[in-house]
Amino acid sequence: MRPLTQYRGTLGLAAAAAAVLVLVACAPGGNSEAGPAPSTPVATGVGGEPVTLKLLVNSGVDVAFYTALGERFHAEHGNVTVKVENQDYATLTTNIAHILAGTNVPDLVRVSQLGNLIENQLLTNLDPYAEAYGWDKWPQSQFASTRVGTDGKQRGTGSLYAAGAGFGLTGVYYNKTLAQRIGMTRPPATVAEFEQLLAKARDAGLQPIMINGKDGGSVYPLQSLAMSSAEDAQAVQDWNYAKPGASIDNPATVKAATTLQRWGQAGYLPSDVNDIDQTRAPAEFVKGNGVFFPSGNWQAPALDKAGAGQFGFFLFPPGDAGGPSYAMTAAANLGIPAKSPNADVAAAFLDFVQTDQRARQDTVTLGGLVPAGPSDAPAPTAPAGSAVAATVSAFQELLKSNGLVGFMADATASIHVNSLIPQTQLLLAGKTTPEVFAAKVQSDYERDLGR
């Protein structure tokens, strides 16, 4: 990975959109038999009648981001008022099917896992809108993760059910001042080098890693360690996409769980890691309580705001020097509920956030995300030396090396809340073994898929 100091401002994000999720082959065209398509011909545009477009998103960064996008949309379409509501990630993930089956249904909803929503026909098939707006002419790899087969399980094929403004990316933030104190002059080249830095931080009386174990942040380094250990992410990607026979009950996962558990025992993680949530973790990191903070690019705008130029970002290191680097990525997806009263306006909003130049700039500046959209869309910018610039530079590096992988947390509708979070908490608390961890998560996965 090139030094982050070589990054100089303008970001070639239009090209990035053309190669998103490159570990997956470009998705085929839609399948009209999968899920409910609009019952009447779709219309582009928003009409002239007053409309309140209701968005339901995750708490935290999502709220300010989608509120800003809503204001942009309203400025272009004065008859449409965008109302943003939110629930925390775990609550929304748990309750989303009930919400979409109810009577007070939003027009757009933040969706991370699709399976049961497709199986129960709770989301609108977006293939007609993709044809109407020309999304089917854009690079199709960016839509692979939100295409679902007729069984409602296997992703990467079938019809389109969600689209988003941009893509997340995980890696490791670092406090530049504290990193300098422990002798870090460049990002670690291997996991072993990273562990040496963690030991130096602990020995210097610093908190080596700040992370939110309460709501799943500790799953990020676990997945990164599994991919680094295997030096290949295909097994994880197959698992994420529910390929037949996919399993993570394997030596790479066991080794990753062993390493993460050892980090906890060595004092590299906070002693109360399982009580720290995604609100507290970045706040503690900003205050200097943590040299490193494994998280995603959605944190970058707030870190830049809290301390411009004070925080850097690097990709999680490989197992061996010169080996492949991998990072988790996923679109910030919005789906149109089957019961949405304003589906055409909702689709117009989805098109707007991917194509409008100012909205795409907000996607970088406010959301910290790499914009989605057509390959010839305008390229947003970010200040040189900022955390935002560093995350997008890292994204571009991964595009060159085919290093983008989906989140294990999105493999099934309940795997994150009901399995990965509690099992990782047990692992860090010393109440389960790495071998039992890997077997239990795999068993829960197979249960979720009905296998």
Side-chain angles (χ1 to χ4, degrees), residues 379-403:
T381 61
S386 66
V388 168
T391 60
V392 182
S393 178
F395 190 95
Q396 292 175 312
E397 291 297 319
L398 288 172
L399 288 175
K400 299 173 186 176
S401 63
N402 292 349

Side-chain angles (χ1 to χ4, degrees), residues 173 296-306 364-365 367-368 386-389 391:
Y173 291 99
N297 54 355
W298 53 89
Q299 303 281 2
L303 292 178
D304 283 337
K305 184 177 181 180
V364 174
T365 306
S386 66
V388 168
T391 60

Side-chain angles (χ1 to χ4, degrees), residues 340-416:
S340 167
N342 302 297
D344 288 343
V345 180
F349 181 85
L350 288 178
D351 184 71
F352 175 84
V353 300
Q354 296 176 91
T355 58
D356 180 81
Q357 182 173 358
R358 293 168 302 172
R360 289 171 58 82
Q361 183 65 58
D362 285 344
T363 296
V364 174
T365 306
L366 299 179
L369 306 176
V370 178
S375 58
D376 60 353
T381 61
S386 66
V388 168
T391 60
V392 182
S393 178
F395 190 95
Q396 292 175 312
E397 291 297 319
L398 288 172
L399 288 175
K400 299 173 186 176
S401 63
N402 292 349
L404 298 169
V405 187
F407 287 80
M408 287 170 56
D410 296 340
T412 75
S414 62
I415 198 70
H416 190 54

Side-chain angles (χ1 to χ4, degrees), residues 122-302:
L122 295 174
L123 288 177
T124 297
N125 179 339
L126 299 183
D127 285 343
Y129 290 114
E131 181 178 0
Y133 280 103
W135 305 343
D136 56 352
K137 304 299 191 298
W138 299 354
Q140 291 301 291
S141 55
Q142 65 186 299
F143 297 120
S145 65
T146 51
R147 288 194 180 278
V148 183
T150 54
D151 62 358
K153 297 180 175 66
Q154 185 167 337
R155 292 189 293 156
T157 184
S159 288
L160 183 68
Y161 288 96
F167 294 87
L169 177 79
T170 60
V172 183
Y173 291 99
Y174 62 97
N175 182 307
K176 293 179 180 179
T177 300
L178 297 183
Q180 187 177 29
R181 279 179 56 185
I182 62 172
M184 177 177 153
T185 57
R186 57 168 174 78
T190 64
V191 172
E193 282 191 11
F194 187 38
E195 289 197 81
Q196 291 172 3
L197 291 171
L198 298 179
K200 289 181 179 180
R202 179 200 59 195
D203 294 345
L206 302 173
Q207 175 61 57
I209 292 177
M210 176 51 59
I211 199 163
N212 49 302
K214 184 175 183 178
D215 44 20
S218 50
V219 177
Y220 298 162
L222 177 84
Q223 180 173 343
S224 295
L225 285 164
M227 295 186 295
S228 295
S229 174
E231 297 190 358
D232 184 357
Q234 195 58 54
V236 171
Q237 190 74 319
D238 288 348
W239 194 80
N240 290 337
Y241 276 32
K243 295 289 183 65
S247 177
I248 59 163
D249 185 6
N250 56 36
T253 303
V254 172
K255 183 177 179 180
T258 300
T259 299
L260 188 65
Q261 189 175 61
R262 184 178 72 247
W263 286 3
Q265 294 168 342
Y268 299 162
L269 306 179
S271 59
D272 59 345
V273 59
N274 287 339
D275 293 324
I276 299 175
D277 64 16
Q278 60 184 324
T279 299
R280 180 181 161 196
E284 293 286 346
F285 180 65
V286 165
K287 291 188 295 185
N289 189 14
V291 181
F292 302 103
F293 176 36
S295 192
N297 54 355
W298 53 89
Q299 303 281 2

